[in-house]
Amino acid sequence: MLYSDKVMDHFRNPRNMGTIDDADGIGEVGNAKCGDIMKMYLKIDRGIITDVKFNTFGCGSAIATSSMATEMIKGKSVKEALMLSNKAVVEALDGLPAQKIHCSVLAEEAVKAAIDNYYEKNPESFREDLFRLEDDEDSCSSGCGGCSGCGGF
Ligand code: FES
């Protein structure tokens, strides 16, 4: 079988398909070769992706990978979402045929474009989100954001 059960499932029953009217970030990317387009909508609250939806004029693999990508970033931090690779999405789908790997790149790029768009519109949140996340990771109580260089001052 060319496609895994997971790919077929996400293609037939895509998760988080649609739009978000009051999205905080919207990313649109396209693949010049096949002409397919993907649009990703994010709601972001204090550095956490609270909701995500996607729309695509693309092939079945593009639908399946976007669907899986939205599931993988929903409820996660922006930082984690930025680290999501198309490879991780393909692995979560139990693989894609080699000639369809490029479709999964659209999903990764659309997530990144939507996050970019959010920080373009909310540049002040970039520092806040980054520091908050660093803070969470390091349990730093200095209130300065938890960088390693200041010794708490
Ligand atoms: Fe264009 Fe799959 S063939 S995204």
Side-chain angles (χ1 to χ4, degrees), residues 29-38 56-59 62 102-103 106:
V29 295
N31 182 306
K33 275 195 189 147
C34 63
D36 291 340
I37 292 172
M38 186 177 301
T56 185
F57 301 97
C59 68
H102 77 271
C103 315
L106 273 187

Side-chain angles (χ1 to χ4, degrees), residues 133-150:
L133 296 168
E134 297 273 326
D135 209 14
D136 289 347
E137 278 164 17
D138 300 342
S139 312
C140 173
S141 58
S142 64
C144 66
C147 76
S148 56
C150 72

